[in-house]
Amino acid sequence: MRYPLPALFALLALLCQTQSAQAQSSYSCRLPDGRYAVSSYPCPTGTTPGLSYHGPVTPPPPTPSYRPQTTTAPAPDFLPYLSARCSGMNDAVRTSAARGLGYQAAEELRRNYQQECGGEERIARQQMYGGQQGQRRTDYEQRKAIESSEMQSQAATDQCRESMRIIKTKRNRPNLTEGEKADLQRFEDNIRARCT
């Protein structure tokens, strides 16, 4: 049987559309338990097939996977004030994630540390803060001593300058008596001894 040329083109176009639709079709299959499953493949034996067009089948987006923390927190400032046992337990807790320890094991480490070393950590923190306060007090006293020394040094320098000015003024006075000259010489000797 021969088809006219326009009918042949129409049949060819219909065939291409059918293949295109099949490429984008998904199969809805009713499973024996009553649920429906959607697949890009024909329904397996034992299921009720039903062809429905849902557009292109795309895989679901990947779910983000949990990545544990791999960095280690820095050691706390109070660590030197802990006993060797509690210091080691603190290190174990801090580095548990970086060592790949599971969540439950890390939690158990934390609980054990709190039970055995919680009180010692509080005391260590107090000692650290007390030491810091003592250091701040020492630093403050040293700064005050330096400031006081600088002020005394400046006052002595100012006093020497004023004494030298007085000596110069008295030397320029005419008609000094022998007694005034002797007093001026003693004053000048004292100032030179103190200021040089």
Side-chain angles (χ1 to χ4, degrees), residues 1-44:
M1 178 176 182
R2 297 183 68 181
Y3 292 103
L5 199 55
L8 191 59
F9 282 128
L11 186 59
L12 188 58
L14 182 62
L15 183 61
C16 288
Q17 286 177 350
T18 304
Q19 286 179 350
S20 175
Q22 284 179 350
Q24 294 181 352
S25 295
S26 62
Y27 296 87
S28 176
C29 307
R30 185 171 185 184
L31 303 176
D33 63 0
R35 292 180 298 134
Y36 281 92
V38 178
S39 173
S40 58
Y41 299 102
C43 297

Side-chain angles (χ1 to χ4, degrees), residues 31-194:
L31 303 176
D33 63 0
R35 292 180 298 134
Y36 281 92
V38 178
S39 173
S40 58
Y41 299 102
C43 297
T45 309
T47 60
T48 307
L51 179 64
S52 60
Y53 177 72
H54 296 285
V57 178
T58 56
T63 56
S65 60
Y66 171 72
R67 291 190 178 175
Q69 179 182 1
T70 56
T71 58
T72 302
D77 293 339
F78 60 83
L79 197 63
Y81 297 90
L82 291 176
S83 66
R85 175 169 171 68
C86 288
S87 176
M89 289 179 74
N90 185 285
D91 284 339
V93 170
R94 282 185 310 103
T95 60
S96 60
R99 291 182 290 120
L101 211 60
Y103 175 77
Q104 288 181 333
E107 270 306 302
E108 187 174 342
L109 267 178
R110 270 189 279 281
R111 269 196 310 275
N112 290 342
Y113 174 77
Q114 283 303 320
Q115 287 174 354
E116 294 183 34
C117 301
E120 188 176 324
E121 182 179 314
R122 282 189 292 279
I123 293 169
R125 286 178 185 271
Q126 289 171 354
Q127 288 175 337
M128 179 191 71
Y129 293 137
Q132 288 175 346
Q133 286 177 345
Q135 184 62 45
R136 282 195 292 269
R137 189 177 309 113
T138 302
D139 292 346
Y140 172 77
E141 289 170 359
Q142 286 177 346
R143 278 196 312 273
K144 291 303 278 182
I146 290 170
E147 287 173 7
S148 176
S149 173
E150 288 174 350
M151 286 174 63
Q152 288 175 356
S153 176
Q154 184 62 45
T157 301
D158 292 344
Q159 190 175 20
C160 286
R161 283 186 184 145
E162 181 61 20
S163 298
M164 296 301 272
R165 188 192 65 76
I166 292 169
I167 291 170
K168 187 175 180 183
T169 303
K170 284 192 177 186
R171 275 187 185 273
N172 291 335
R173 278 179 47 196
N175 304 330
L176 284 177
T177 65
E178 289 304 317
E180 289 175 333
K181 285 180 182 178
D183 288 342
L184 183 58
Q185 188 60 48
R186 278 194 299 277
F187 180 64
E188 188 174 352
D189 291 341
N190 288 337
I191 294 302
R192 285 187 195 283
R194 194 171 39 169

